[in-house]
Amino acid sequence: MEVFFYFGVFLWVSSTASSLALTENSLTVVPRQANYSEVIPVTLNATIEYVLVYQQSPAINPYTVRAWCENINPNLPVQIVVRQAKQVTSWTVPEMIETTKTKHILYFYNTSKTMCHESMDEITHNNPDFSMGPLTVSQSFIMALSTSSPDNVTVNVELKEDEDFYVFRDIKYNITVSPSQSRYVYYKFDNSSADTVVIEVDSDDDVCLTVSVQDGRCPVLDSNKDVKYEGVFQTVNRKGAITVAKRHYSPGFFLVFVAKPDNYDCSQESNVIPLSRLSSIMDNNITTLLTFSIKNSISLYEYAYASIGIAIAVVIFGVVSLAVIIVFNRYGTISKARTYDIKIQDYIEPKTDEEINRIILSKDLTVDVFAKYPRRIKQRSFNYLSHTTSIALFYSIPVIQLVVTYQRVVNMTGDQDLCYYNFLCAHPALSFSDFNHIYSNIGYILIGIFFIFAVIDRQHIIKITKENGIPVHYGLFYAMGVALIIEGILSACYHICPSQSNYQFDTSFMYVMSVLIMVKLYQNRHPDINATAYTTFSVVGIAIFIAMIGILDGTLFIWVLFIVSYSILIILLSLKIYYVNYVVSGAKQFYIFYKNQGLCIETVSPLRKGRFVAVLVTNVANFSMLGIGLYIYLNNITDFGTFLLALLLGNTVIHISFYTIMKLIHKERICYESLIFGVVGMAFWITAGIFFLDAATLWTVTPAESRQWNQGCIFLNFFDKHDVWHLLSAPALFFTFLYLMYLDDDISDKPQKKISVF
């Protein structure tokens, strides 16, 4: 066999020498016997080509070729061609690597290439412990070196066995990588391997890398240009993790590390929605030291235990809560109210100008003034339910279609930069890359259903009253329950592939729930003049549209435009609230006062000082939040969509706090049911907020930068902190809704003409 090998070398050298010629001198081919692990300095020029012949090696490890030189003209490099029995590898020294900048090229004078073992199939399928045993393998190499330089140049080469090529679980490995010295290793699943393993990668510098997982067949794509065309890959600078399923890469896989010549793929410049920071071109002698390890992920039993256990826990929570609600509805504060079997009908007479003026000039308004249309109030209330359901249906269908397409693209291309997962706690299942973050939204869905059952029971027990208590209509509460369910569905859709482009899927129905809460609180004391569902959802739609514009183009101009528009809206709503919906009539009354008395204290002094102070405080809070928003934009602290959501949630908290405080000021008490739900809800909110603020991903930066925030699982070895936020915020919303539903039970038997409006 060896005779035939050298005879083939002789024929190749002879044919090359006889067929190639330069302008004046014939090309001289110099064959040379070479030894493994020997550093060989080779001096050559345009007339001399060296061929290094290595004996066959029985080593089970592959070999790595190192080639380096000094002071070689990059335009006349040394060309290296390594022939194996089944493949040929070639490159130049210095190696030319293009950056992402136009016409910017870096030259690397220190290079290395790992030669894929020709017998990888036999080694990986027939050799479980990577020992020689009865397995017989061989490798052979012929290395040709040539150049077009007319002057002598010297290059050093070494062909050395890669003794750390096969890696094992639960061991930390250190490797050095540069743009011209990529590295790859091989991991084989064994009988003790879990169904999935997690590869964790750490680095102490910001060198941009591509980490790739490829199947265990040669050739291995390990250059900057082709590493993305095989297997699963992601960009990494300081931290990365890839979850690999055994069923996709049996019996094992190559783990490839490729350093990039610049930071473009890890910088904001490569983002779909870029920020101001740009990439930087690295020096051409840059290297990075990586630490990586491979660990077992969770077992199928742990999958089932976490998934089924959480579902059972949520159901138990819902059943117990529903039982408590049923008891409260029958034996609580509301049970003491008298019920009336009366026919409800509206007063169809519209308000006269005299009545409107009396309302505007009245210092103490009562609910009976704004509760003359109970049937219309009921219809308006249930309009919110129908609108919420319709919007949810038409909004959810394209969302589901889009995110499922995203997941299919990720599965087909292997590009893990498309989605902002917490890769240190991302458990794949059912073709989804991150099943746990999808599944943890089950709390919103189930608890939303339980809340609807709670509303049904309360509606069955507590009938509509005409003259006592706050007008009882349940359409808004049903809408809240539906919104909670849809929030769970859309949040699950978002977490199929979380990214900059679909962040609104996770927040749209948060806007809806916030607005529904504020509308419900205003409806309690202003039932006749409350906003219709058409107006409310038009405002929500505009808010979502503004959020989209802010996310796509979050420039200073957009922020300033929003702040100005929002300020105008605040002023208009303030006038509408102060003049209890009759802004034009209120302006006329102000003009009459001004005309009769001139500009004096009596003219500008508010008639309803409590209402004026509440509006003033709300305005101060809103303008303060706008100022904070401008500050966080200038300092790149957060994005426009998150700021807008925080603005809405802040107003929701203000409305709830204001309503509660005003009840106490007007000597109304907080019934014990509402107090219990409020305290428990607050405890859930505080706990959930702690986990929410400790984020494990950040889509406002690049995928590589986001991975620096990744954290391990903390609950049942299946859920991370954001999953816990999902599981805790669902009951927090549930108890918040219940707090609002029971908040006015203390005045359920009080005549409406004695219930203050605020």
Side-chain angles (χ1 to χ4, degrees):
M1 181 68 181
E2 190 172 341
V3 174
F4 288 108
F5 173 73
Y6 285 110
F7 180 69
V9 173
F10 173 76
L11 290 178
W12 177 65
V13 171
S14 300
S15 62
T16 303
S18 61
S19 60
L20 296 178
L22 297 177
T23 306
E24 298 179 356
N25 302 313
S26 298
L27 176 65
T28 301
V29 178
V30 181
R32 174 179 171 179
Q33 184 72 38
N35 298 319
Y36 295 105
S37 302
E38 176 188 3
V39 177
I40 303 175
V42 178
T43 301
L44 66 164
N45 55 43
T47 64
I48 301 175
E49 177 179 342
Y50 275 83
V51 177
L52 305 181
V53 181
Y54 292 84
Q55 293 184 350
Q56 285 187 336
S57 170
I60 198 170
N61 294 309
Y63 283 83
T64 297
V65 178
R66 291 183 59 235
W68 66 98
C69 64
E70 295 180 2
N71 301 324
I72 291 182
N73 185 354
N75 296 319
L76 298 171
V78 174
Q79 297 178 350
I80 300 177
V81 180
V82 180
R83 293 179 57 186
Q84 296 173 265
K86 299 179 182 178
Q87 57 190 349
V88 176
T89 306
S90 64
W91 70 99
T92 63
V93 180
E95 186 172 4
M96 179 184 70
I97 298 180
E98 296 180 359
T99 69
T100 53
K101 297 294 184 181
T102 305
K103 298 181 180 180
H104 193 99
I105 298 174
L106 299 181
Y107 296 95
F108 294 85
Y109 291 83
N110 196 344
T111 68
S112 69
K113 302 290 179 184
T114 300
M115 303 294 107
C116 192
H117 202 297
E118 296 172 347
S119 303
M120 279 303 299
D121 287 343
E122 292 84 353
I123 295 172
T124 56
H125 286 85
N126 303 322
N127 193 27
D129 58 357
F130 301 118
S131 62
M132 289 300 297
L135 185 65
T136 302
V137 296
S138 64
Q139 300 180 82
S140 58
F141 303 94
I142 301 174
M143 187 187 307
L145 298 93
S146 62
T147 182
S148 298
S149 173
D151 302 320
N152 285 346
V153 294
T154 300
V155 62
N156 299 289
V157 295
E158 179 186 21
L159 183 60
K160 187 176 182 179
E161 183 178 356
D162 190 348
E163 297 179 351
D164 295 324
F165 180 74
Y166 300 104
V167 296
F168 302 90
R169 274 195 330 275
D170 302 322
I171 299 176
K172 286 190 175 182
Y173 295 91
N174 298 315
I175 60 172
T176 301
V177 182
S178 75
S180 62
Q181 294 177 295
S182 58
R183 292 287 305 275
Y184 62 88
V185 296
Y186 184 85
Y187 172 80
K188 183 176 181 178
F189 291 100
D190 55 30
N191 294 331
S192 62
S193 296
D195 293 329
T196 56
V197 295
V198 179
I199 304 163
E200 297 184 14
V201 181
D202 293 286
S203 173
D204 292 332
D205 53 52
D206 291 319
V207 175
C208 188
L209 305 161
T210 297
V211 179
S212 172
V213 173
Q214 303 177 20
D215 61 41
R217 295 174 296 177
C218 298
V220 179
L221 305 185
D222 62 343
S223 70
N224 270 297
K225 288 186 175 181
D226 59 19
V227 68
K228 294 183 177 181
Y229 297 121
E230 178 67 31
V232 176
F233 62 91
Q234 63 179 223
T235 54
V236 174
N237 49 14
R238 287 186 175 268
K239 181 187 291 187
I242 299 178
T243 300
V244 183
K246 183 189 294 186
R247 67 180 185 276
H248 294 153
Y249 291 94
S250 179
F253 57 84
F254 290 117
L255 179 58
V256 186
F257 302 93
V258 179
K260 295 183 174 296
D262 61 40
N263 266 359
Y264 177 82
D265 288 331
C266 295
S267 72
Q268 288 292 339
E269 193 174 5
S270 66
N271 266 9
V272 176
I273 307 172
L275 294 180
S276 57
R277 290 183 288 121
L278 303 179
S279 64
S280 59
I281 300 299
M282 295 181 178
D283 194 3
N284 60 358
N285 62 356
I286 194 71
T287 59
T288 180
L289 178 64
L290 299 176
T291 301
F292 74 91
S293 61
I294 301 175
K295 301 177 181 178
N296 269 337
S297 185
I298 63 175
S299 64
L300 182 61
Y301 170 79
E302 290 174 298
Y303 263 89
Y305 181 79
S307 303
I308 298 174
I310 284 297
I312 293 174
V314 173
V315 170
I316 292 174
F317 167 84
V319 170
V320 172
S321 299
L322 194 58
V324 172
I325 291 167
I326 291 173
V327 172
F328 282 166
N329 287 342
R330 286 158 178 78
Y331 305 104
T333 303
I334 196 70
S335 65
K336 301 174 184 178
R338 291 171 292 176
T339 58
Y340 303 90
D341 187 13
I342 58 175
K343 184 178 180 180
I344 301 298
Q345 62 181 10
D346 292 349
Y347 295 104
I348 60 174
E349 300 85 359
K351 287 184 173 62
T352 64
D353 291 341
E354 184 180 351
E355 290 176 319
I356 293 174
N357 290 332
R358 188 163 55 248
I359 291 173
I360 293 173
L361 298 175
S362 176
K363 293 184 178 180
D364 298 310
L365 296 172
T366 54
V367 171
D368 64 309
V369 177
F370 302 108
K372 297 183 180 297
Y373 309 104
R375 295 185 64 183
R376 188 177 71 172
I377 297 169
K378 178 181 179 181
Q379 182 61 44
R380 279 188 172 187
S381 179
F382 278 92
N383 280 345
Y384 280 94
L385 173 60
S386 60
H387 278 62
T388 302
T389 305
S390 300
I391 291 171
L393 178 64
F394 285 98
Y395 192 89
S396 300
I397 291 174
V399 166
I400 294 172
Q401 180 181 2
L402 182 62
V403 294
V404 169
T405 301
Y406 279 176
Q407 182 65 71
R408 289 177 177 175
V409 171
V410 172
N411 294 341
M412 292 175 63
T413 64
D415 187 355
Q416 296 199 345
D417 284 352
L418 294 175
C419 307
Y420 284 70
Y421 299 129
N422 176 16
F423 289 91
L424 290 176
C425 187
H427 302 294
L430 304 176
S431 298
F432 295 114
S433 301
D434 190 8
F435 177 73
N436 51 297
H437 283 87
I438 300 171
Y439 186 77
S440 60
N441 290 281
I442 190 174
Y444 295 117
I445 299 172
L446 294 180
I447 290 176
I449 294 172
F450 281 113
F451 180 74
I452 290 176
F453 282 133
V455 178
I456 291 173
D457 181 72
R458 184 174 172 89
Q459 185 179 10
H460 175 71
I461 298 298
I462 313 302
K463 303 297 183 182
I464 297 176
T465 59
K466 180 177 176 62
E467 297 179 348
N468 293 334
I470 296 298
V472 182
H473 295 298
Y474 297 98
L476 272 165
F477 286 118
Y478 283 119
M480 291 179 193
V482 172
L484 184 56
I485 295 171
I486 301 303
E487 170 58 29
I489 294 173
L490 292 179
S491 179
C493 289
Y494 165 73
H495 285 284
I496 290 176
C497 182
S499 67
Q500 297 167 316
S501 58
N502 60 10
Y503 173 66
Q504 282 181 277
F505 301 164
D506 192 31
T507 58
S508 293
F509 269 75
M510 293 183 188
Y511 298 161
V512 172
M513 285 187 286
S514 296
V515 171
L516 288 176
I517 289 174
M518 289 186 281
V519 168
K520 179 56 188 171
L521 287 170
Y522 193 75
Q523 184 202 48
N524 286 348
R525 308 283 169 150
H526 313 80
D528 284 352
I529 60 174
N530 199 31
T532 65
Y534 306 97
T535 303
T536 300
F537 283 102
S538 296
V539 172
V540 173
I542 293 172
I544 294 174
F545 176 77
I546 293 173
M548 178 198 71
I549 297 298
I551 292 173
L552 293 177
D553 185 20
T555 59
L556 181 61
F557 172 77
I558 297 297
W559 279 80
V560 172
L561 180 63
F562 170 76
I563 289 174
V564 172
S565 303
Y566 188 76
S567 300
I568 295 173
L569 178 63
I570 290 174
I571 295 172
L572 293 177
L573 286 177
S574 299
L575 292 173
K576 193 176 181 68
I577 291 172
Y578 179 76
Y579 287 114
V580 287
N581 211 44
Y582 302 111
V583 178
V584 176
S585 299
K588 290 179 180 179
Q589 287 295 328
F590 177 81
Y591 178 74
I592 292 172
F593 285 160
Y594 171 74
K595 189 175 181 180
N596 293 335
Q597 302 179 11
L599 188 61
C600 60
I601 296 178
E602 288 77 9
T603 304
V604 297
S605 178
L607 292 174
R608 293 179 290 274
K609 292 181 173 57
R611 197 175 190 85
F612 176 79
V613 170
V615 171
L616 180 63
V617 170
T618 303
N619 275 266
V620 170
N622 273 274
F623 282 110
S624 299
M625 287 188 285
L626 289 177
I628 294 172
L630 188 59
Y631 172 80
I632 63 178
Y633 165 76
L634 295 175
N635 291 273
N636 283 330
I637 296 176
T638 190
D639 61 282
F640 185 85
T642 303
F643 163 71
L644 184 58
L645 178 61
L647 192 63
L648 275 173
L649 294 178
N651 275 281
T652 303
V653 172
I654 291 172
H655 275 69
I656 295 175
S657 303
F658 166 75
Y659 193 92
T660 304
I661 293 171
M662 292 303 290
K663 275 182 67 69
L664 297 175
I665 290 175
H666 287 82
K667 298 181 180 180
E668 298 177 6
R669 66 183 182 87
I670 309 297
C671 62
Y672 68 88
E673 298 96 334
S674 191
L675 190 61
I676 291 172
F677 292 138
V679 171
V680 175
M682 184 63 68
F684 271 103
W685 276 123
I686 293 173
T687 309
I690 294 172
F691 290 102
F692 176 77
L693 293 175
D694 192 4
T697 60
L698 193 65
W699 63 260
T700 56
V701 297
T702 64
E705 291 170 326
S706 175
R707 292 186 186 98
Q708 298 180 27
W709 296 68
N710 287 180
Q711 303 172 11
C713 303
I714 63 167
F715 182 51
L716 299 178
N717 204 26
F718 190 76
F719 299 110
D720 68 359
K721 291 181 179 179
H722 194 76
D723 291 317
V724 176
W725 150 257
H726 287 162
L727 296 172
L728 293 178
S729 61
L733 284 166
F734 176 72
F735 286 118
T736 300
F737 295 165
L738 290 176
Y739 172 78
L740 299 177
M741 193 161 65
Y742 285 83
L743 187 55
D744 286 316
D745 280 5
D746 61 301
I747 55 174
S748 57
D749 205 30
K750 188 175 182 179
Q752 291 179 353
K753 61 184 178 181
K754 294 183 179 181
I755 300 176
S756 299
V757 172
F758 46 78

